[in-house]
Amino acid sequence: PDVLRSLAVVHLLTRCALIKLHMPLMNEPGSNERAISATRSIVGILRGLGTSGIDVVNPIMGVSKNL
């Protein structure tokens, strides 16, 4: 579980950073497509974690599960 949590944090942070970096260029077709792709990746990661037992997803602290 801790390994999955660590991997999820790393991937979520990189996808969020990509979206943030492309925000000033959102009117450009390539940047817009990359941001949308990163957003879809985030959703896919969260779905893959089985979010039914997750209370909080914080990109800095990680994923907190119900105990």
Side-chain angles (χ1 to χ4, degrees):
D2 287 337
V3 173
L4 289 177
R5 177 182 169 174
S6 297
L7 287 173
V9 170
V10 169
H11 287 285
L12 291 171
L13 277 173
T14 56
R15 296 326 190 274
C16 289
L18 190 143
I19 293 167
K20 187 71 172 169
L21 287 171
H22 283 277
M23 283 183 82
L25 304 170
M26 280 297 185
N27 293 330
E28 302 293 324
S31 288
N32 192 18
E33 291 169 11
R34 286 185 180 141
I36 291 171
S37 176
T39 304
R40 288 182 177 145
S41 293
I42 290 169
V43 171
I45 291 166
L46 293 175
R47 282 186 179 159
L49 288 174
T51 57
S52 62
I54 294 176
D55 283 337
V56 177
V57 177
N58 181 322
I60 303 302
M61 298 305 291
V63 177
S64 298
K65 290 195 169 210
N66 292 332
L67 297 176

